[in-house]
Amino acid sequence: MLTTRRRVVASAVILTGSLLLTSCGGSDGGSSGDGKTLKLWHYEAPNSAMGAAWNEAIKEFEASHPGVQVKYEEKSFEQIQKTAQMVLNSSDTPDLMEYNKGNATAGLLSKQGLLTDLSAEVAKRGWDKKLSAGVSTTSRYDAQGVMGSGNWYGVPNYAEYTMVFYNKDLFAKYKLAEPKSVDELTAAMDVFVKNKVTPLANAGAEYLAQQYLYQLALSQADRSWVDSYELYKGKTDFHDQAWTYAATTFADWVKKGYIAKTSSGTKAEEAGVSFIQGKAPILFSGSWWYGRFQDEVKFDWGSSLWPGSNLTLGSGGNLWVVPKNAKNKELAYDFIDITMSKKIQNLLGNKGGIPVAADPSAITDPKSQQLITDFNTLSGRDGLAFYPDWPVPGFYDVLVSETQKLITGSEAPDAYLDALQKAYDNGVPKK
C-alpha cells in the first residue's frame, strides 16, 4: 500500500506501543546513539501477522542483545506518510522504520538523501539471496528514485497482494456461489442490492477506493502497461481502454449501489470493520488484513484472486528503512536480520502473512497455506502490478480526492481521467 496503508486504528497502535514499551521497561530508557537503544517505528496492528511476528522479533532481539532496549513509538501509516521527510531531517529520527515502498515514497526519500544505502549490508548478511526478483524490485532505487535498479534502500521481510474477501455465510444466505468471473461477481452484487445490502466495503477517504479502480484497470491490462505506468518504460495514457473502463465501471458501480455514495468519507479501518462485523459481503483489499480476519472474524469467510484478471495489486511488503541520520545503525541491521530468520518468518506465515524466507513445511495453518498458494500462483504468472499511487510524488492524495469525486458523482469519468493525467505528467521525472 500503498502503498498505501492504512490499516491501523489509533487504539490498536497505542495498545501495541504500550505492550512493547512495557516489555522494554519504560518509554524513556536509554538515549539514542549510545548503542543501548533501538528506536523503532512501525504501524502494524498487534494482531496482524506482521505485528505478531515483529513483537516476537523484539523479544529475540532483546534476548540476543543484553542491556539493549527496543524503544517502540506508536505511529500510523498516515502519520509516517505525511511527516517522514520532516522527521528524517530532524534530530528525532528513528533508527529503524517501516516505510511505504515505491517511487513516490521510499524512492523519493532515497533521492533526497534521507535513507541509508544498505547495499553492503544486504550482501554481507545475504538478504538478497532470500528475496525473489519480483519482491526485491521495490528495495532498490536509482539516482532518480525509480525502483527496480540501483542501490538497496530498504528490505521487505514479507510480501503482499490484494484479493477478494467473501463472507461465505452471507453468500449462502442468498444462495450465491463464490464468483469465478466478473459477470458472476456483478450478478451476485445485483442480488445483494435487491436485498438492500451494499455489496462492497469501501473507503473513499483512504486507499481502498483507488485500489478498486486500479484493479478494474488491471483486468484490462498487461505487463507492458504496468511497466509504462509504474517504471516509465512507455507513455501512460489515462484515456486508454484500461483506464477508461476502470473509471466508467467504477462510476457505474456507484450508480448501481454496489458502492455506497456515503463511503466517500470512509476510512480503511471502517471498511475493514464493516466486513469483520458481517455487514459487508465483499471486501477487496490486501493480505495485510488476513491475520486480523483470522483473529476477529466469527463467520465463515474465504478469499480468492480477482476473477478474470492475471494482474492484481501487490509487491514485496513495506520496507525496513534505516534513516541516514539514524544513530544506532548496527542495531537496526541486527533487528532486520532477526525478522528475516526462519523462526520469525515461519511465525509470520502461520499468522496469516506471506513470508519471504520461511520453511514451507512449517506453515501448518490451512488458511495461511491457501494465502501463500494464491500468492505463488500470482507470482508465478508475473501478476504483481504494484500500487496506483506509486509512480509520482503526491499521487496518493490526488487519487484519494479525485476518486472521492467519482463516488459522490461530482466529477464525470472523463474529467477524472484528465485530472490524473495532469498530475501524473507533472510528476514524471524529466529525462
Side-chain angles (χ1 to χ4, degrees):
M1 226 210 171
L2 336 88
T3 159
T4 208
R5 290 151 37 234
R6 8 217 230 221
R7 55 199 184 265
V8 182
V9 257
S11 60
V13 177
I14 291 170
L15 174 60
T16 310
S18 63
L19 288 173
L20 296 183
L21 292 174
T22 299
S23 73
C24 296
S27 62
D28 58 350
S31 61
S32 188
D34 60 4
K36 296 190 179 298
T37 303
L38 174 67
K39 187 175 180 181
L40 170 67
W41 290 5
H42 77 72
Y43 41 76
E44 305 297 342
N47 62 346
S48 71
M50 286 71 73
W54 297 348
N55 284 351
E56 186 63 29
I58 287 172
K59 295 177 184 177
E60 290 280 314
F61 177 88
E62 291 184 335
S64 61
H65 293 72
V68 179
Q69 293 180 331
V70 175
K71 183 181 178 183
Y72 174 80
E73 292 190 19
E74 66 269 14
K75 304 292 175 185
S76 71
F77 171 82
E78 297 292 334
Q79 278 181 297
I80 294 179
Q81 180 91 346
K82 294 181 184 301
T83 65
Q85 291 174 319
M86 178 180 66
V87 170
L88 298 192
N89 265 313
S90 74
S91 60
D92 194 39
T93 185
D95 299 308
L96 182 63
M97 180 173 79
E98 180 187 12
Y99 196 58
N100 199 4
K101 63 277 182 205
N103 302 341
T105 45
L108 178 62
L109 295 190
S110 70
K111 180 181 177 181
Q112 293 173 333
L114 296 175
L115 302 180
T116 300
D117 178 1
L118 302 175
S119 301
E121 207 65 33
V122 168
K124 173 185 172 183
R125 297 180 185 252
W127 296 332
D128 53 338
K129 303 295 192 298
K130 296 183 177 183
L131 300 174
S132 68
V135 170
S136 64
T137 295
T138 56
S139 299
R140 301 172 64 197
Y141 297 87
D142 65 16
Q144 295 300 313
V146 179
M147 65 183 180
S149 65
N151 297 330
W152 289 72
Y153 286 99
V155 178
N157 59 14
Y158 68 99
E160 61 182 38
Y161 68 101
T162 52
M163 68 202 77
V164 184
F165 293 97
Y166 298 101
N167 181 326
K168 290 187 175 183
D169 287 353
L170 278 179
F171 270 73
K173 178 179 178 180
Y174 295 105
K175 298 179 172 55
L176 296 168
E178 180 184 303
K180 302 297 183 183
S181 67
V182 173
D183 286 344
E184 291 180 4
L185 175 63
T186 54
M189 291 194 293
D190 283 333
V191 172
F192 285 121
V193 169
K194 287 178 183 177
N195 286 278
K196 303 188 185 312
V197 176
T198 301
L200 300 176
N202 182 50
E206 290 182 347
Y207 63 94
L208 245 68
Q210 60 185 261
Q211 292 186 358
Y212 274 111
L213 198 139
Y214 188 52
Q215 178 59 67
L216 288 169
L218 290 175
S219 71
Q220 309 298 305
D222 58 18
R223 174 53 58 183
S224 63
W225 184 95
V226 174
D227 289 346
S228 293
Y229 177 61
E230 299 279 1
L231 303 177
Y232 319 135
K233 291 184 177 180
K235 181 170 175 55
T236 290
D237 177 9
F238 282 87
H239 288 278
D240 67 8
Q241 190 270 335
W243 280 112
T244 300
Y245 169 81
T248 54
T249 300
F250 186 90
D252 185 54
W253 282 11
V254 174
K255 290 177 183 176
K256 288 182 175 178
Y258 300 167
I259 295 170
K261 284 189 175 182
T262 54
S263 69
S264 63
T266 301
K267 294 193 173 184
E269 174 66 17
E270 297 171 85
V273 168
S274 74
F275 182 79
I276 290 170
Q277 293 177 341
K279 297 176 181 177
I282 303 168
L283 171 70
F284 174 69
S285 195
S287 50
W288 49 88
W289 289 103
Y290 215 88
R292 183 171 175 187
F293 288 173
Q294 285 179 302
D295 187 49
E296 296 184 25
V297 171
K298 305 304 180 187
F299 51 81
D300 188 16
W301 63 278
S303 66
S304 70
L305 297 172
W306 186 272
S309 178
N310 287 326
L311 299 168
T312 196
L313 298 79
S315 68
N318 283 325
L319 303 173
W320 286 128
V321 299
V322 179
K324 188 73 171 179
N325 294 332
K327 297 179 175 66
N328 287 305
K329 293 184 180 182
E330 286 298 326
L331 294 180
Y333 304 151
D334 287 351
F335 187 85
I336 295 172
D337 206 45
I338 288 173
T339 66
M340 298 290 279
S341 69
K342 277 285 192 289
K343 178 179 180 180
I344 301 303
Q345 287 286 298
N346 292 345
L347 174 64
L348 193 154
N350 277 308
K351 289 291 186 179
I354 305 169
V356 296
D359 176 2
S361 65
I363 310 303
T364 56
D365 177 80
K367 281 193 182 299
S368 296
Q369 289 174 340
Q370 181 63 47
L371 176 74
I372 295 169
T373 296
D374 282 349
F375 176 78
N376 290 339
T377 296
L378 188 64
S379 182
R381 68 188 187 204
D382 193 23
L384 296 174
F386 311 126
Y387 293 86
D389 58 301
W390 282 11
V392 298
F395 208 47
Y396 176 85
D397 292 333
V398 172
L399 283 165
V400 167
S401 63
E402 294 299 325
T403 307
Q404 284 178 313
K405 294 174 187 176
L406 271 188
I407 297 171
T408 61
S410 62
E411 185 168 73
D414 194 56
Y416 171 83
L417 296 172
D418 283 343
L420 296 194
Q421 187 79 64
K422 180 179 178 181
Y424 180 89
D425 288 347
N426 286 340
V428 172
K430 303 299 183 285
K431 295 183 179 179

